[in-house]
Amino acid sequence: MTAVTADAYEAVFDAAVAADERIEPRDWMPDAYRATLVRQMAQHAHSEIIGMQPEANWITRAPSLRRKAILMAKVQDEAGHGLYLYSAAETLGTSREELLDKLHAGRQRYSSIFNYPTLTWADVGAIGWLVDGAAITNQVPLCRCSYGPYARAMVRICKEESFHQRQGYELLLALSRGTSAQHEMAQDAVDRWWWPSLMMFGPPDDESSHSAQSMAWKIKRHSNDELRQRFVDICVPQAEALGLTLPDSDLRWNEERGHHDFGAIDWAEFQEVLKGNGPCNEQRISQRRQAHEEGAWVRDAAAAYATKHQAQHVKPGEATA
Amino acid sequence: MTTTVNAAALALGDDALVLSHRLGEWAGYAPVLEEEVALANIALDLLGQARVLLSLVGDEDELAYLREERAFRNLQLVEQPNGDFAHTIARQLYFSVYQRLLYGRLAAGESEFAGLAAKAVKEVAYHQDHAEQWTERLGDGTAESHERMQRACDALWRFTGEMFQPVEGLDIDSQALQSSWLESVTAVLERATLTVPDGPRSGGWAAGAGRQGLHTESFGRMLAEMQHLHRSHPGASW
């Protein structure tokens, strides 16, 4: 084989990206592309597992058995999404353990939205409608991301997320059309979750440090502001159908732009949450660390058992169905 | 539906409802992500069983959310707090072996429960497999996990006799059920290098108590949490 220079590898990579071909784990890729993907996929995986907490907070209090079953299934799906995404990230040469360690040490992030508390049952609906809705708006374009394993994980995840989103919407609809106390509960939840959901699309385009490179690599397909606008345009008629208002007095249709104009986002709040000063940052990460630390003896036991029984081809359990 | 069938459906439905609730408390706290999935999966299966059984008796939500502690007919075993992972696994082992044997017999019979049991027994086989594998991993894992698993098996042992009290409306040979259960559990514990607990399995108070609506203290708090929102909005639909 002839020696090939790094430039030649890079040219092959650039051509593949330009031709909308998928980059696969064994393909050469720039170090920075690998690092960006690990960062983004880890953050995405972490968001799935931290995101279990605000919703799990209501499993034991769900007001009907049907809603309880739906919520349990949703939280279970989120753990599953976390598993897919850690597996996809592992194709880049990292490991789940390493990524979890970084999460626990505060060296990798998760979505800022999960640092807000779930204070009423209606919050479960608002998370489904708005938070999952924003996630889907962000994630559908990722199904065409240049990195194959990530794109394929997103195809599977988006199907389940869409289902969760419809269930959240339906939960809010039931509350909105229910008693006046239920209607108020729904409106209060939307009032509290609307702005944090808009922040999920990240900083404005002129302040987004990773955007230009990610778009050039076709990891991202649309800018933060484009996706945020798309989300607002989708939500306005949905809110009307729900019989609920969105907490923004500047929100109105702009005929000229063909989009809704909306008010200014409180970026100072966003920065505070990112810095760790949101309402639940401390609690979320503490619970995650606690679960991990208290589970250490269980993982150690499983490893010790596996080592002892490695030599045996038939596991003891299998003989005794 | 006859009163005796109602009594049996309530007993089995409450077992599934209450254990499902306890497993739901694990969400976000499991030792490894795969167990988040597995415990939620088992909880969901049990909740599904509870909904079918309670619906045989009346409105599932009225029964789950508006009965007081003294009207619940579940075993004391399933209301026991989760404790550590070993404690949860021991509870799963004892209950899933019982439930599989019971549902296997009901599926083979001709009672009102045959259809339901035929479906549920497939789920329960998975629950039993999960509990057995973890009992073995923990029992035959490290010194610490061995000790924790033994302690958990010992602590819950006294609640196991109640499973073999006759249940009104269930035509089951309780003695035969009990000996099959002991045989299965003994085999698993031995494979797991654990000692079969030697304490009483049917102490005076515990024997049959849950089935008569006599529960342990933590159960009332569990219900308070479970029922609070529903009770705060009388007549609302969700």
Side-chain angles (χ1 to χ4, degrees):
Chain A
M1 225 211 291
T2 35
V4 188
T5 65
D7 285 355
Y9 279 123
E10 186 131 20
V12 171
F13 173 84
D14 288 344
V17 170
D20 273 331
E21 284 168 20
R22 290 279 164 81
I23 306 301
E24 296 297 338
R26 297 177 68 172
D27 294 339
W28 184 91
M29 62 188 82
D31 290 344
Y33 176 84
R34 186 184 299 272
T36 292
L37 277 168
V38 168
R39 180 183 53 77
Q40 184 174 336
M41 291 163 77
Q43 177 167 335
H44 196 160
H46 298 333
S47 299
E48 295 284 356
I49 62 166
I50 295 283
M52 293 167 69
Q53 291 182 29
E55 294 180 284
N57 182 37
W58 280 92
I59 285 178
T60 53
R61 291 176 289 169
S64 75
L65 297 187
R66 174 172 165 264
R67 293 292 177 196
K68 188 174 185 166
I70 290 172
L71 184 56
M72 273 184 180
K74 182 182 179 189
V75 174
Q76 182 192 23
D77 281 349
E78 282 160 1
H81 296 171
L83 281 170
Y84 294 161
L85 286 162
Y86 286 120
S87 301
E90 284 181 336
T91 64
L92 291 164
T94 182
S95 69
R96 195 207 300 184
E97 290 69 27
E98 191 182 338
L99 298 177
L100 280 173
D101 285 346
K102 285 183 178 159
L103 170 67
H104 298 153
R107 290 197 289 131
Q108 280 178 342
R109 283 176 173 163
Y110 54 88
S111 177
S112 61
I113 194 79
F114 300 119
N115 292 311
Y116 290 86
T118 47
L119 302 177
T120 72
W121 170 251
D123 291 28
V124 171
I127 289 180
W129 175 41
L130 296 173
V131 175
D132 293 341
I136 292 164
T137 308
N138 261 329
Q139 290 170 9
V140 165
L142 285 173
C143 297
R144 295 185 296 129
C145 159
S146 59
Y147 188 57
Y150 194 21
R152 288 188 289 274
M154 291 323 303
V155 171
R156 298 180 64 178
I157 290 172
C158 282
K159 283 181 193 163
E160 294 181 350
E161 293 287 5
S162 307
F163 190 58
H164 298 161
Q165 199 225 358
R166 281 200 294 277
Q167 288 172 327
Y169 186 86
E170 196 255 327
L171 190 165
L172 279 184
L173 191 64
L175 294 180
S176 177
R177 292 178 176 175
T179 65
S180 57
Q182 286 177 307
H183 183 92
E184 274 171 37
M185 193 192 280
Q187 183 63 60
D188 169 63
V190 169
D191 290 348
R192 284 182 289 109
W193 288 92
W194 172 248
W195 291 108
S197 300
L198 294 191
M199 295 177 195
M200 286 175 70
F201 296 93
D205 292 348
D206 49 9
E207 290 168 31
S208 176
S209 51
H210 302 291
S211 280
Q213 184 60 73
S214 288
M215 286 179 72
W217 277 329
K218 295 188 181 174
I219 295 173
K220 267 181 100 144
R221 297 279 179 162
H222 310 279
S223 79
N224 294 352
D225 287 333
E226 274 171 41
L227 291 169
R228 187 164 18 239
Q229 179 71 61
R230 186 179 295 178
F231 178 69
V232 171
D233 290 339
I234 290 169
C235 286
V236 170
Q238 291 180 343
E240 277 169 26
L242 278 173
L244 298 172
T245 58
L246 296 170
D248 179 358
S249 56
D250 294 327
L251 185 66
R252 62 182 54 84
W253 176 250
N254 181 327
E255 190 65 52
E256 214 168 288
R257 291 203 305 125
H259 290 291
H260 291 86
D261 291 337
F262 54 97
I265 291 172
D266 183 351
W267 293 114
E269 174 180 322
F270 180 69
Q271 289 306 330
E272 281 303 305
V273 176
L274 283 192
K275 273 191 274 176
N277 301 326
C280 298
N281 297 59
E282 185 56 38
Q283 176 189 331
R284 299 287 185 242
I285 208 72
S286 298
Q287 180 182 324
R288 184 88 268 295
R289 279 195 207 117
Q290 185 196 337
H292 192 74
E293 282 163 16
E294 288 178 1
W297 70 271
V298 177
R299 297 189 297 275
D300 290 348
Y305 179 87
T307 307
K308 281 186 208 175
H309 294 267
Q310 215 165 25
Q312 295 171 280
H313 290 292
V314 181
K315 282 182 289 181
E318 284 174 0
T320 60
Chain B
M1 193 71 38
T2 65
T3 328
T4 52
V5 171
N6 273 354
L10 265 191
L12 302 184
D14 285 351
D15 283 349
L17 178 71
V18 171
L19 185 55
S20 165
H21 186 96
R22 284 297 189 205
L23 291 174
E25 293 173 354
W26 269 104
Y29 290 93
V32 58
L33 266 180
E34 285 81 355
E35 281 307 296
E36 294 283 2
V37 178
L39 296 173
N41 205 336
I42 296 168
L44 266 173
D45 287 344
L46 290 168
L47 185 53
Q49 293 167 17
R51 295 181 66 191
V52 174
L53 285 158
L54 295 181
S55 297
L56 290 176
V57 182
D59 179 271
E60 61 177 27
D61 287 337
E62 262 181 55
L63 288 164
Y65 292 100
L66 299 175
R67 271 183 300 157
E68 306 260 342
E69 187 179 341
R70 291 279 284 109
F72 274 82
R73 292 289 176 263
N74 55 283
L75 298 164
Q76 290 187 346
L77 175 69
V78 296
E79 76 201 28
Q80 294 310 303
N82 289 333
D84 68 3
F85 189 69
H87 207 79
T88 290
I89 291 299
R91 192 182 61 197
Q92 283 305 114
L93 177 71
Y94 291 162
F95 183 74
S96 62
V97 172
Y98 159 75
Q99 211 189 12
R100 188 176 179 186
L101 291 168
L102 177 66
Y103 282 12
R105 282 163 171 74
L106 291 174
E110 287 169 1
S111 71
E112 287 81 351
F113 302 108
L116 156 95
K119 178 179 179 285
V121 79
K122 292 177 195 150
E123 297 169 349
V124 176
Y126 159 75
H127 305 171
Q128 183 180 343
D129 186 50
H130 175 264
E132 288 191 0
Q133 288 199 40
W134 271 113
T135 302
E136 288 175 37
R137 278 190 208 114
L138 299 180
D140 194 16
T142 62
E144 182 185 4
S145 69
H146 178 89
E147 195 194 321
R148 284 179 184 253
M149 194 65 220
Q150 185 67 57
R151 214 184 304 153
C153 289
D154 292 348
L156 292 168
W157 189 247
R158 69 194 177 92
F159 297 106
T160 58
E162 193 187 351
M163 296 188 284
F164 310 105
Q165 299 291 319
V167 175
E168 194 188 358
L170 279 190
D171 184 20
I172 292 289
D173 179 348
S174 297
Q175 285 306 314
L177 190 67
Q178 171 150 232
S179 49
S180 301
W181 183 88
L182 262 179
E183 197 181 314
S184 289
V185 167
T186 301
V188 180
L189 294 182
E190 280 173 0
R191 281 204 304 279
T193 71
L194 295 163
T195 310
V196 178
D198 60 1
R201 294 185 40 247
S202 46
W205 167 263
R211 293 280 189 241
Q212 276 102 55
L214 295 167
H215 295 279
T216 51
E217 286 183 346
S218 68
F219 184 56
R221 276 193 299 283
M222 194 206 97
L223 281 189
E225 182 173 348
M226 184 173 106
Q227 298 181 336
H228 171 262
L229 178 60
H230 186 96
R231 284 182 182 271
S232 300
H233 296 263
S237 22
W238 301 94

